[in-house]
Amino acid sequence: MTLTVPRRKAHKAGIDLPVVGLGTWRTFEGSDLDTLRQVLRTALESGADLVDTAPVYRTSETNLAALIHGDRRFFVATKIWESDPEAVDAVFADQLRAYGRSSIDLLQVHNLNGWRRNLAWLDRQKAAGRVEFTGATYQFDCAFGLGGTRADLLHIVTESLVDFVQINLNAAEIELAEDILPAAAENGIGVLVMRPFGEGELLASPPPTEWLRELGCATWTEALLRWVLAHPQVTSTLTATSRPEHFRDNVAAACAGPLGPDEAAEVARYARSFHTSRVRR
């Protein structure tokens, strides 16, 4: 039996999205398009129609666009990185051609790079009907020597300058739950979560199986994913994979529902203790 993921409302945008979406960072770069096509088919069958990518993800966006060219069943979230207006225009034109679309569902300012100018540009594209929804992503301050800060992100959220934000949030890195999540909820802004597993680092040292069973989880991956979903302000969490069976596991975890407060606190304590020990080495 195929499970169908729950959906949550992004109030400002006025749409709902699956609580689990498909990320493509480092996972859609391969040349095995048949396997990637199976991942996408698995996502659609489970109702997880949200896919997220970016032009700077090497060949990931190229592969994704080729596989879903002209297919409007997918909600495509992608990004702009450049800050030069002519370069932004050129990249966006390439994206529209690659996806075979006249508009992109969600276009995000990548890591807040040139966010003031690029948000104004996004608003113009939205008014022209070439972008359905606008967003901004944030991993850490001045990411990769560019972009903005957490304070900039909070300003964007509190001033309701976008429809969605995408943030770094997992059981070991919980800081943005303190201010960004409440502000997003207050302003109805949808929240996409990147790196729910810390790009795999948190999976390197899972807790004992018996401990997980006491939490009501079969695997550490399930516990980490359900920890993210325990935050009602989160619209969707993005899980990057190139393996259909892994995505099915993520769907099953989402269908199990969010962790309760006590269980979520236990998961965070374990994840942060492991994360802190790695940082100290």
Side-chain angles (χ1 to χ4, degrees):
M1 182 179 70
T2 301
L3 297 174
T4 301
V5 296
R7 301 178 79 87
R8 287 183 179 175
K9 190 85 168 181
H11 292 283
K12 183 183 178 189
I15 61 169
D16 57 17
L17 291 176
V19 297
V20 169
L22 178 63
T24 60
W25 166 241
R26 292 183 174 176
T27 57
F28 265 57
E29 297 176 2
S31 58
D32 186 1
L33 296 185
D34 285 340
T35 300
L36 298 182
R37 191 176 287 108
Q38 291 177 36
V39 175
L40 290 165
R41 186 181 303 117
T42 300
L44 273 186
E45 289 172 351
S46 60
D49 52 357
L50 166 62
V51 290
D52 179 84
T53 190
V56 298
Y57 290 179
R58 300 179 184 174
T59 58
S60 288
E61 180 160 50
T62 303
N63 287 339
L64 176 66
L67 289 168
I68 67 172
H69 181 88
D71 190 340
R72 297 294 309 203
R73 292 176 297 173
F74 289 95
F75 183 96
V76 173
T78 186
K79 307 174 184 77
I80 53 172
W81 173 273
E82 288 77 7
S83 54
D84 176 75
E86 291 186 3
V88 171
D89 285 339
V91 170
F92 183 52
D94 287 343
Q95 288 172 315
L96 291 175
R97 282 193 294 270
Y99 287 106
R101 294 177 171 216
S102 59
S103 66
I104 295 294
D105 298 305
L106 171 59
L107 195 58
Q108 307 156 96
V109 177
H110 202 168
N111 286 321
L112 299 180
N113 190 28
W115 65 269
R116 290 179 179 84
R117 178 184 296 142
N118 280 335
L119 286 183
W121 178 88
L122 279 177
D123 286 340
R124 292 194 296 273
Q125 303 309 313
K126 185 177 181 180
R130 290 187 286 270
V131 169
E132 296 294 328
F133 305 107
T134 64
T137 78
Y138 171 89
Q139 185 172 344
F140 51 86
D141 280 4
C142 303
F144 312 105
L146 301 167
T149 65
R150 180 174 171 180
D152 292 330
L153 180 65
L154 186 59
H155 169 77
I156 289 168
V157 171
T158 56
E159 294 298 317
S160 199
L161 300 182
V162 292
D163 301 305
F164 289 89
V165 291
Q166 183 177 151
I167 61 173
N168 176 47
L169 183 70
N170 57 61
E173 299 172 283
I174 65 175
E175 293 78 12
L176 298 184
E178 300 169 1
D179 53 357
I180 301 302
L181 288 188
E186 184 177 347
N187 290 277
I189 293 174
V191 177
L192 308 183
V193 166
M194 67 174 92
R195 303 179 74 251
F197 312 128
E199 285 190 31
E201 287 186 10
L202 294 178
L203 302 177
S205 183
T209 302
E210 186 58 37
W211 185 83
L212 287 167
R213 286 201 190 101
E214 290 176 0
L215 294 178
C217 297
T219 66
W220 184 223
T221 299
E222 176 188 339
L224 291 169
L225 189 57
R226 292 175 65 189
W227 179 90
V228 175
L229 297 179
H231 297 79
Q233 307 96 329
V234 171
T235 310
S236 182
T237 183
L238 302 166
T239 59
T241 183
S242 58
R243 298 176 62 176
E245 64 273 21
H246 284 178
F247 196 78
R248 280 192 289 269
D249 289 342
N250 295 336
V251 168
C255 289
L259 291 176
D262 293 341
E263 292 80 7
E266 286 293 312
V267 168
R269 274 193 288 271
Y270 184 90
R272 286 183 68 78
S273 66
F274 169 66
H275 180 73
T276 300
S277 68
R278 287 179 62 90
V279 169
R280 286 174 177 167
R281 287 185 193 140

